[in-house]
Structures are given as C-alpha cells and as structure tokens.
Amino acid sequence: MNVNGSLIINPIPVPQPTVGAFFQAAFERLGLELLAGRSGLSRAILEPVLSRPGLALTGFYEHFAWRRPQVLGRAEAAYLKTLDEAERLARWEALLSRDIPFVLLCRAGEIPIGGALLALSDRLGIPVLATQLSSLEVFRRGGLYLHELTAPRASVVGTLVDVAGVGVLLAGPPGIGKSETALGLMRHGHALIADDVTLVSLDAHGDLYGKAKERFRGFMEIRGLGLLPMEQLFGIAAVKESCRLDFILSLRRCDTEEDIDRIGSEVKTCEILGKSVQWMTIPVAAGRDFVNVVETAAATYKLRQSGADPAGLLDAQMMTHFITMGAKA
C-alpha cells in the first residue's frame, strides 16, 4: 500500500500462537517453570485468553472454555485440598482430557499437584507451567503477552525515531536522507528505534507501536559508511527497543510547492492496521536543517494533541486585527 507515493506498508501474517511461544515470551517476566508436558509445547492456543477452571474442577463442563489456557490460583488450590488423592487425580484427568492448551499454576507451592498428576500431564502431553506470582498478576501480565503474540502487525518502510517522547516515522524514497536525519536527531539526544524498515503492531489499547527487526536492532545504514552500531557510537540512550508511532513525516523532492500545505491548516492522515495516523509532507531542498524541522514537527504534534491549533491561532489573530481596524475606521 502506498500513501502519497512515499509510504509502503506490508501486512505480516500472524501465526497461530503456541504454548512454547507463550512460554518463551513470558518465561522471565512471569518467572515461569515447566513442570510437565514438554512434548505439548507445540500445542496451539486456539483462544489467546486466560481462563480459570473453577466449575470444571467440580465436574461441570457445560460451556467449558477448553480452547483457552487454564489458570489455577488460590481458590482452585483450596478446593483441590478438600479432595482425597484418588479424587484429585480423577478431576485432574478430566480437566486435561478436554484437550486444553496448558495449565498455569499460580503460587505454585500452595497447589497440591503431586508426582502422579504431573506424570499424567506428561502422558497426555499437556504442559503444566508454574509461577510464584498471584493469579491477579498472571491475568494482568499474561493477557498482555498473549496479545503480543496475536496482535495485527505490518512492516513499514521508514525510519522510526523517538523525538522527545513523540514517535516520528521518517518516510520517503531511498537516498532522500532518512537515516542521515535520524543520525542528526540522535546527536541531539533523541533515540533510534528502527532504521529503514519498522515493524509495527497494535498493542492491547489499540495504539500503534514500532520496533526494529531483531537482528538489526541498534544498527543504522549510512551510505558510504555501512552498517553502524549506534549504541556503541552514541551511548545506551541513543537506542530504544520500541515506541509508539505517533505521526509520519514524509520527505519528498518537490520541484514546486503546489501540493505543500504552507499554512498548516490541513491535518492529513493515513491508515496503518486500521488505525488513523497523522502525516506531514516536508519538501527536501539543499541547505535545509532537517533535524530542526523534525524537532519542530514533533513539538507541533504535541501542541495539536493538547488541543491547540496553530493555524487556528493565526486565524483568530487575523480576525482580531481586522475587527480592530474596522472599529477604528
């Protein structure tokens, strides 16, 4: 897809999330441990939403959400402790036989899951994960990690820079000066997110976030110098892992300025993953200080987000002037 001939967006197919992908994504952040069922890490998570099997453990399986990962917390632990070992094993087998993706034990030390239950999980190939976090924390964080695995995403041709907290995507044809402009911004204390190609996805709140391809994170291509490590050159603050994509700045070679908004009264937008994003067109000309232009564009974006309208301020000032002149006449 092209926007004004300068922005190329390529949707990326989202794979079906697996138990292994969730385990890898949340391993450190949830402090996960794999207790059993390693052979089932390739199982698909058909519905990426966490669920609690409270009623199911009592034997009621009508409307049971078997496509979802099942989280056992303090309430489930208290109930299982009321059962004898044989009944507990029977309830566990009934739960796992529903072909669920995996079981996640919260406050793992409090839940009576012994060797026989784990051996059954191994035999059925249903992974059992454990964490010391509470079920409240698991639902709060784990839901976000599942969303990350299934969020719509696309690759956008452009260089993303965090300019004083505003995510600016520099777009334009090859050789227009995107990387050189980003380099100047880093020297002014701003941070590079991605050079040349930016991976964009929707977060759980519907905001667009961008990051670099993993193998190119922190690197920038400067013609004549090659691929350079920005963090080693300018320090750790010169590179960030990701940021919100707030607006697009399209650099264009223009013979005339007929299609350039010189007043700033028109706010143009384009659509990325169904989300409307503001964009501006900046004509490229010899001698222009694009670093200052981008910094000013970011400040203007902040001004508009606060509810102010720069063009409207000029209109109001002009109207006041004409009214005053008319009164004097």
Side-chain angles (χ1 to χ4, degrees), residues 14-27 29-30 32 43-51 67-71 101-102 104 129 138-153 202-204:
V14 180
Q16 183 77 52
T18 64
V19 181
F22 174 79
F23 182 67
Q24 183 177 12
F27 174 73
R29 295 181 282 187
L30 292 183
L32 294 181
R43 296 178 63 83
I45 302 175
L46 300 179
E47 292 184 2
V49 180
L50 297 176
S51 182
R67 296 177 179 83
R68 304 176 182 179
Q70 303 299 313
V71 178
F102 67 90
L104 176 52
L129 310 181
V138 167
F139 271 87
R140 186 173 66 85
R141 301 188 201 177
L144 292 176
Y145 306 147
L146 282 172
H147 176 83
E148 288 178 5
L149 295 175
T150 58
R153 61 199 69 178
L202 279 172
D203 74 355

Side-chain angles (χ1 to χ4, degrees), residues 26 53 56 66 75 78 96-97 137 154 160 174 182 191 261 278 287-288 296 309 317:
W66 61 272
L96 298 190
S97 65
E137 280 298 303
L160 182 61
D261 183 8
Q278 293 185 25
R288 296 197 74 183
T296 303
D309 177 12
Q317 185 172 312

